[in-house]
Amino acid sequence: MLLIHCPYCEDDRSELEFRWAGEAHIARPEAISEISDEEFAEYFFLRNNEKGLTYERWRHIHGCGRFFNAARDTVSDRFLMTYKAGLPKQPVPVADKMAATAEEKTVETWEATEGDAR
Amino acid sequence: MADLALNMATRTLPLSGVHGGSSVARLEPASPAARLSLRARSEDVAALSTALGIALPVKPKTSASSHGRTALWLGPDEWLVIDEGQGGLLQAANDCAAPHSATDVSHRNTAILVSGPGAAMAINSGCPLDLSLKAFPVGACSRTLFGKIEVVLLRTAEDAFRVEVWRSFSDYAFGLLSEGARDAAL
Ligand SMILES: [Zn+2]
């Protein structure tokens, strides 16, 4: 079971208590009625869907109920860090990043195993 | 003339009459209590604490008790206050001028008391929380999951817990706890 650190409970808790809540740090345009359709689509619909390090919002819905931000590696599913909502995007500590990249190489991805299957 | 007393309605509690458990974990329904779901900003905690006669805990996973009232930290701005004593809980909150939200949830919840050497194990049969004394000491509390329902857990003694559960889920909670209590005795 994956343990996720809640920055409000200051505790590592089971993934069952959490809900994913989309990409983090998406700022709502200030004059939203004045922006073009393309700009609105960019803000409202388009997400980066990055492979590797990604910043997401999570909610400790069955615990303290708070939303918070997390830096997560989408390849290894490893949480690199979590921090309170409202804080600016936090840099991931270098050591954690290295560990995550090393782990990434050993993770069995579809791309990596596809060749064997054929 | 009809005897009106004979026609009086009686309130049936959600878990009235049930009993269960095993040789290591005893299960019993808690007596009815008054409960408040309380929300407030950190700057108003002091005023509310004075009004309720209980110091609202601000540290995660902790609770405070005094005069039959227990305040459980649920989140940075949220508490569950349980009154098993003198009553007047909602009135005390209403009399407080500091801005807050207080909702009477006395009848939304009921509680199951789990006690005995296998109490933690019985709860852990459906709950992922670390219930070791180090991680969850006496007085610790948290909202968490038990099986497929949400509960609020309070450790009242080294081998005793109070499981606060929504009343419509109380049958499920009691059933799963009974299974857990039996497993803990194996
Ligand atoms: Zn939390």
Side-chain angles (χ1 to χ4, degrees):
Chain A
M1 183 174 290
L2 194 61
L3 294 177
I4 302 173
H5 184 85
C6 172
Y8 293 95
C9 293
E10 297 165 10
D11 203 10
D12 293 337
R13 305 285 286 257
S14 158
E15 61 177 304
L16 299 175
E17 294 182 354
F18 296 84
R19 284 283 183 285
W20 181 75
E23 195 175 320
H25 302 295
I26 291 167
R28 189 177 195 270
E30 299 224 346
I32 201 157
S33 59
E34 288 158 26
I35 62 174
S36 68
D37 286 354
E38 287 70 28
E39 282 167 326
F40 182 81
E42 169 74 26
Y43 150 71
F44 201 74
F45 299 112
L46 301 180
R47 295 295 175 260
N48 288 334
N49 193 25
E50 260 158 287
K51 180 178 175 184
L53 175 63
T54 178
Y55 286 83
E56 297 167 329
R57 295 166 81 231
W58 282 76
R59 188 179 181 199
H60 194 189
I61 190 166
H62 296 300
C64 63
R66 295 306 87 194
F67 282 91
F68 59 91
N69 296 323
R72 190 172 69 91
D73 190 306
T74 53
V75 177
S76 62
D77 271 348
R78 178 205 272 258
F79 278 76
L80 302 172
M81 65 184 301
T82 58
Y83 52 96
K84 288 182 181 176
L87 290 175
K89 198 180 247 187
Q90 303 287 302
V92 173
V94 179
D96 290 350
K97 211 183 215 165
M98 298 293 281
T101 328
E103 197 173 284
E104 214 164 278
K105 293 206 179 74
T106 62
V107 168
E108 200 173 84
T109 59
W110 179 80
E111 288 92 332
T113 54
E114 189 195 14
D116 307 344
R118 268 198 229 133
Chain B
M1 217 169 107
D3 188 348
L4 285 176
L6 290 176
N7 294 324
M8 288 285 274
T10 50
R11 168 168 279 146
T12 309
L13 297 167
L15 288 172
S16 107
V18 300
H19 61 275
S22 68
S23 56
V24 294
R26 174 188 166 96
L27 304 178
E28 46 192 332
S31 11
R35 296 169 177 92
L36 271 193
S37 167
L38 188 67
R39 308 286 304 262
R41 294 203 191 121
S42 51
E43 58 262 38
D44 300 313
V45 165
L48 274 162
S49 296
T50 311
L52 297 173
I54 182 164
L56 295 173
V58 291
K59 207 173 156 267
K61 257 171 57 169
T62 60
S63 66
S65 287
S66 87
H67 301 101
R69 285 180 181 166
T70 308
L72 291 75
W73 186 97
L74 295 186
D77 62 358
E78 184 179 3
W79 295 266
L80 173 65
V81 188
I82 303 170
D83 186 321
E84 295 180 286
Q86 76 269 41
L89 191 58
L90 189 61
Q91 193 56 49
N94 284 349
D95 292 343
C96 179
H100 67 275
S101 145
T103 309
D104 189 325
V105 293
S106 307
H107 300 281
R108 183 194 71 180
N109 283 21
T110 189
I112 302 167
L113 305 177
V114 188
S115 59
M121 199 185 265
I123 293 167
N124 272 148
S125 68
C127 172
L129 261 194
D130 181 355
L131 295 180
S132 65
L133 275 167
K134 192 166 167 277
F136 206 79
V138 177
C141 63
S142 184
R143 184 158 48 199
T144 182
L145 288 170
F146 180 64
K148 57 183 178 181
I149 59 171
E150 193 175 276
V151 297
V152 173
L153 211 58
L154 169 69
R155 187 176 219 136
T156 51
E158 282 199 10
D159 62 353
F161 296 85
R162 181 185 181 96
V163 183
E164 282 279 325
V165 51
W166 288 19
R167 61 180 294 144
S168 55
F169 297 151
S170 57
D171 264 340
Y172 173 85
F174 202 90
L176 190 55
L177 276 170
S178 306
E179 297 284 333
R182 221 167 52 185
D183 286 350
L186 290 177

